[in-house]
Amino acid sequence: MVVLVDTVSANQVRPRHPEKVNRPDALSPPKPDWIRVRAPNTRGYADTRKIVKENGLVTVCEEAGCPNIGECWDKKHATFMIMGDTCTRACAFCNVKTGMPGALDASEPEHVAEATFKLGLTHVVVTSVDRDDLADGGAEHFAQTIRAIRARCPTTTIEILTPDFLRKEGALEVVVAAKPDVFNHNLETVPARYLTVRPGARYFHSIRLLQRVKEIDPTIFTKSGIMVGLGEERHEVLQVMDDLRSADVDFLTIGQYLQPTRKHHAVMRYVTPDEFAGYEKVAYTKGFLMVSASPLTRSSHHAGEDFAKLQAARAALHR
């Protein structure tokens, strides 16, 4: 393979991950038969893409290279990524662009609300890039987006997947005050892997963030997820479950890590479907109201259906 580098043009293409360019290639083992997805070529996919582009929106489905995009967009289920397409963090697993983001778009909350309406979403998921450059980490922008969706689509339930708001005092309280139905913040991996996989974050800060949500508003469902196949051990995954339950987290997702490029962290192992089933069974015994664990599980995959199950599980506890 030959790579051409433009050293003449005034508009040179900036690398998507400049911090990873000089890293040696990390080779992953071949994908097993159980990781298969349908190509995104349906009419529903095209319609969803058109609505997203017409409203000038970014989706994590595209930016993170989600393997479920064909299935979800065919059903007009898109996960909106607010505050731009450029993240201030440089996690070893993530395909979202890294760099210094631009200014916030004040009209974005309304555009997200309008797209939610046009797609006919009964449950919408909104996530974001990390915005360490902002004084509140983007908390007020999250709150404005929640309020805009409530105004335009009053019956739609809202799930947010937030960054950790590390060193952003008061930010979490702003988001929780806007009363999303589900507050999701992913741990991503076990604590022993943070320095290599998620170096800009702090494991116990993330645990405390989720715990604090429930302290402020116990009615909000909390959710978190991890990837496996990054070199973690089974006992470490079980410890993460215990840590999340100590923070009263309701919903746990576990999915297989898939390497976006050879410059990202390698897949150390493909976890079998039987192992995922085992994790799910153990997680339920630990008290989670809802668990989704499979090779292709992602935070927002089947989010609407899972939210209905989450509501039913809580109602069953209070009968």
Side-chain angles (χ1 to χ4, degrees), residues 242-285:
D242 289 337
D243 292 343
L244 287 171
R245 286 303 301 134
S246 72
D248 201 20
V249 171
D250 301 300
F251 190 169
L252 171 66
T253 62
I254 307 176
Q256 172 69 52
Y257 167 64
L258 297 175
Q259 186 185 35
T261 75
R262 289 188 175 187
K263 299 299 182 182
H264 287 76
H265 196 295
V267 174
M268 307 307 293
R269 187 172 76 91
Y270 288 106
V271 177
T272 68
D274 285 346
E275 289 176 272
F276 277 106
Y279 280 139
E280 182 172 310
K281 184 175 181 179
V282 171
Y284 273 121
T285 68

Side-chain angles (χ1 to χ4, degrees), residues 88-91 128-139 142 162-173 175 183 185-186 194 198-210:
T88 54
R89 304 275 176 95
C91 296
S128 78
V129 291
D130 271 284
R131 291 298 303 257
D132 296 308
D133 59 308
L134 301 175
D136 69 348
F142 258 109
T162 76
D164 58 14
F165 300 119
L166 188 63
R167 304 182 188 92
K168 307 294 182 183
E169 188 174 351
L172 176 66
E173 288 76 7
V175 179
F183 189 106
H185 171 64
N186 285 334
Y194 261 53
R198 199 181 179 216
R202 299 294 179 267
Y203 177 80
F204 287 106
H205 169 82
S206 288
I207 291 287
R208 178 60 183 147
L209 184 86
L210 290 159

